Structure formats: C-alpha cells, structure tokens
C-alpha cells in the first residue's frame, strides 16, 4: 500500500521527444513565481485556529451537559471535523512539512485520533485518485460500488447499485449522510491489510478516538440525546465532506483503458474549479482550486489562488479547456450528469413493467 500522494506522473519532456512537456513549461512558470515554497506561518495560524475550535467545542460539550442544545453543537462539530479532515489532506500532500518524519505522526494524530479517519488508508486511496483522476478502472473515487459514473458502469451495475443508479441524482445528498459512517468503517477495515504502514499505531489511535467519542456521549448525555447527537454529527459531517469533494470531478469527463492524455491534460480536463471568495476558500479548504491542486499537489493551499491566473492563461495558450463554475452550478452539473447516467436503467425498468 503506497503512501506517497505526490507519485502522479508529471513528465518533464514530451514522449519520444527532447522538447519539454507542456507541464514542464507550466511548472517553470509556477516555480519562477515562488508558489511552491512552504507557508509555515499560514499553517501555524490555521492549525492553531482549528485546534482552538476543537478544544472549545469539547469544553462547550462538557459545560452544556445533558442539554438539548447539544444537538446544535453536534452540527458545529460536523463542520469542525470537515476542517480537521482538510488539514489531514494538506498534511498528506506534504504541503505542511517536507518530509515523512514530521508528516506521518502529525497526520495520524489529526486523522486517526482527531476524527477517526485512517491516515494511511486515505493516503493510499487519494494517491491513486491523483494519479488517474476520473479513470473508471484506476480511480477509486469513481468505482461503481454504490453509485455509477458513466453509462458503461450503469449497464454493468448489479443489485443495489443498479437500483440506486436509476435515481442516484436524487439520492446523492441523502446517501452522503452515511459517508461519515463509511469513513469510519473503511478505516477500521483497512487495519486488516498487512500492507498498511504502522497499522498497530493507526489501530491504537482509531480505537482511542472511537472509544473516547462514544464514552463522552453516553457519560455526559442521556442515551436518547447521545444517539441523536451521534446521528446528527455523523450525518452532517458526511454531507459536508461530500459537498467539499463533489464539485471537483463529478460530471467531468471520465477515462477508460490505456488511452490517456498527457499529465497536464489528464489533470485539467477531468477537474473543475469553483469560483468564490474568502468564505468559499475556507469552506472548501482551497479545493475549489482543484485544477491547480491536481497539477501541483504539494503547493500550499494559500498559493493556489495565486497560481490560478498562471494556469488558466497557460491553458488558454494551449487551447486546453479550463472549467470553472459557481458552487451551485458545480452541483447542478454533477447531479445532471448523474441523472443522465441513470437514464438507461430507468428506461430498462419502464420496459420491464410494460
């Protein structure tokens, strides 16, 4: 199980030529602008603010006691868990520290202990996504496990996936309420994989998080309130995580087989940026600059906005389509694509009833 999120192919020359690749030319422009350097001050501030919010939330939880106001705090913790997950994401891409010695232990503290998400499992999954975004056979984020992402996947769907595929555009956000649970279950299942590095440490930290989480709920709250807190928190966290990641690639072109464009086009043509200001940057953790992030995964989050005009102008020079929409338009495009993908399944269901 690989755990290096910067292993996506980024050739420096065109295949079979001594000429620099399109990506290499862009990379030189980005480097000349000084956008690949670390931003320690930014991350000290960001980690500090999120850490204070986390500790403040825990203090507020204990201070409120067995109160119905805790359900509002559950919603707040859903957003907070999403922000912690975004920090784990930046750590995994080595945006914070240069080497593994600092990155991995901090990543496990933030991911495993902080929110109950296996850092090693997620790194492996995300690495494969970055190497081949929206590739139906190689990107785990578009594998047809529950949802289908192309008409070919729809035709091959079986069982519950085939039924959900008919109406997945309508079911997408309701299904996201289960994503928090899915992340915990997938993290625990990954511990059985002997290829997972430091799996005993990961298991210890995951167990500490889950045990502490459940114990806190049922020691402070009545059983009914504890269950409601857990459901609201995990459901809204799942929706928030899905809302962060859905605009990035859903509804963009998918790839199959060995015929793939070069690195730059593979990353740009399958990704979508989201327009917005400071609030969008905070809510989406900088992933609204998805194209720039996929081209330069280790670029610190605050530099992505500065890199955008360079990347956008260079794509215009090359005649490469650069997609950028509003947040709600990105959801509309993603859901419209999902509804179109399910059309053959709906037509088949109608024919069977006739």
């Amino acid at each position: 199980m690989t755990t290096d999120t910067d292993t996506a192919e980024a050739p420096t020359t065109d295949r079979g030529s001594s000429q620099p690749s399109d990506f290499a030319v862009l990379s030189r422009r980005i480097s000349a602008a000084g956008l690949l350097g670390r931003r320690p001050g930014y991350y000290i501030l960001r980690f500090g603010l999120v850490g204070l919010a986390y500790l403040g939330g825990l203090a507020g939880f204990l201070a409120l006691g067995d109160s119905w106001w805790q359900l509002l705090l559950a919603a707040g913790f859903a957003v907070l868990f999403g922000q912690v997950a975004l920090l784990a994401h930046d750590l995994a891409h080595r945006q914070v520290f240069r080497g593994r010695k600092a990155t991995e232990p901090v990543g496990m503290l933030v991911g495993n202990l902080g929110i109950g998400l296996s850092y090693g499992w997620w790194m492996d999954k995300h690495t494969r996504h970055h190497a081949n975004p929206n590739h139906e056979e190689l990107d785990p984020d578009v594998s047809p496990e529950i949802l289908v992402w192309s008409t070919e996947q729809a035709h091959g769907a079986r069982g519950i996936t085939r039924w959900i595929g008919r109406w997945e555009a309508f079911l997408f956000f309701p299904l996201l309420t289960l994503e928090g649970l899915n992340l915990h279950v997938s993290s625990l299942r990954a511990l059985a994989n002997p290829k997972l590095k430091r799996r005993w440490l990961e298991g210890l930290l995951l167990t500490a998080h889950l045990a502490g989480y459940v114990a806190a709920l049922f020691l402070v709250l009545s059983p009914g309130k504890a269950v409601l807190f857990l459901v609201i928190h995990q459901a809204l966290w799942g929706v928030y995580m899905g809302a962060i990641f859905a605009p990035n690639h859903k509804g963009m072109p998918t790839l199959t087989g060995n015929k793939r464009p070069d690195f730059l086009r593979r990353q740009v043509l399958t990704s979508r940026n989201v327009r917005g200001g400071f609030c969008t940057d905070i809510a989406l953790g900088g992933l609204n600059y998805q194209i720039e992030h996929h081209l330069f995964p280790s670029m610190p989050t605050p530099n992505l906005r500065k890199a955008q005009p360079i990347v956008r102008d260079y794509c215009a020079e090359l005649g490469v389509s650069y997609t950028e929409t509003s947040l709600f338009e990105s959801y509309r495009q993603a859901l419209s694509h999902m509804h179109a993908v399910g059309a053959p399944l709906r037509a088949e269901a109608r024919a069977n009833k006739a």
Side-chain angles (χ1 to χ4, degrees):
M1 178 178 287
T2 181
T3 55
D4 186 351
T5 56
D6 292 329
T7 57
E9 175 191 0
T12 57
T13 60
D14 287 322
R15 193 171 297 178
S17 169
S18 60
Q19 294 297 316
S21 69
D22 289 335
F23 175 76
V25 174
L26 174 62
S27 184
R28 284 200 292 268
R29 295 185 185 183
I30 292 293
S31 182
L35 298 178
L36 297 177
R38 295 297 182 265
R39 295 288 299 272
Y42 165 82
Y43 279 109
I44 289 171
L45 177 62
R46 185 172 163 192
F47 271 81
L49 291 175
V50 174
L52 285 173
Y54 198 108
L55 293 175
L58 292 177
F61 176 81
L62 294 175
L64 281 173
D66 189 21
S67 166
W68 288 106
W69 289 107
Q70 293 279 19
L71 302 186
L72 288 178
L73 192 60
F77 263 108
V79 176
L80 183 56
F81 267 43
Q83 288 295 313
V84 174
L86 288 168
L87 286 177
H89 169 271
D90 287 9
L91 282 162
H93 281 296
R94 299 192 192 177
Q95 296 177 19
V96 184
F97 304 110
R98 290 186 181 275
R100 291 183 179 180
K101 287 186 178 180
T103 295
E104 290 187 352
V106 176
M108 283 188 279
L109 286 173
V110 170
N112 295 57
L113 184 61
I115 58 176
L117 173 67
S118 169
Y119 178 75
W121 164 76
W122 183 85
M123 272 191 77
D124 174 71
K125 179 175 179 286
H126 200 59
T127 298
R128 290 182 282 129
H129 159 70
H130 264 264
N132 293 283
N134 267 21
H135 193 290
E136 294 182 25
E137 290 93 42
L138 301 176
D139 182 357
D141 288 354
V142 292
S143 60
E145 296 176 354
I146 296 295
L147 302 173
V148 290
W149 307 105
S150 69
T151 52
E152 290 76 12
Q153 288 184 345
H155 286 303
R158 297 290 182 269
I160 187 66
T161 302
R162 194 171 186 83
W163 183 86
I164 289 176
R166 300 174 191 171
W167 310 107
E168 61 182 12
F170 300 97
L171 296 172
F172 180 67
F173 279 102
L175 285 172
L176 285 178
T177 61
L178 301 175
E179 179 60 16
L181 175 63
N182 175 58
L183 292 173
H184 293 311
V185 171
S186 297
S187 295
L188 292 172
R189 289 176 60 187
L191 298 177
N193 187 343
K195 294 182 180 179
L196 179 68
K197 293 178 61 178
R198 298 180 178 84
R199 58 176 176 154
W200 295 110
L201 178 57
E202 289 226 23
L204 179 64
L205 293 174
L206 280 175
T207 301
H209 169 85
L210 295 173
Y213 179 88
V214 173
L217 289 183
F218 285 91
L219 287 174
V220 173
L221 304 177
S222 65
K225 292 190 187 77
V227 170
L228 280 175
F229 186 104
L230 186 150
V231 169
I232 292 171
H233 173 218
Q234 296 297 321
L236 292 182
W237 178 42
V239 171
Y240 182 38
M241 292 292 286
I244 291 172
F245 288 95
N248 302 340
H249 304 280
K250 307 312 181 191
M252 297 300 291
T254 58
L255 307 173
T256 58
N258 295 322
K259 294 182 179 180
R260 298 181 297 163
D262 64 5
F263 177 81
L264 183 143
R265 288 164 179 80
R266 187 160 75 243
Q267 304 298 337
V268 174
L269 296 176
T270 60
S271 302
R272 178 195 294 111
N273 274 19
V274 174
R275 286 191 296 269
F278 177 77
C279 291
T280 303
D281 290 359
I282 296 297
L284 301 187
L287 296 183
N288 42 314
Y289 305 105
Q290 188 68 195
I291 293 172
E292 290 71 29
H293 171 61
H294 259 258
L295 289 169
F296 302 98
S298 63
M299 180 183 289
T301 292
N303 290 352
L304 294 171
R305 175 181 283 272
K306 299 176 181 178
Q308 184 185 31
I310 300 174
V311 173
R312 185 170 51 203
D313 291 348
Y314 185 62
C315 286
E317 288 180 33
L318 297 176
V320 174
S321 177
Y322 182 102
T323 302
E324 185 179 28
T325 70
S326 68
L327 181 61
F328 289 107
E329 175 61 15
S330 73
Y331 294 138
R332 189 199 68 77
Q333 290 182 9
L335 295 175
S336 295
H337 171 78
M338 295 170 71
H339 192 61
V341 164
L345 298 178
R346 295 192 299 275
E348 179 186 83
R350 288 193 297 268
N352 290 337
K353 289 182 179 179

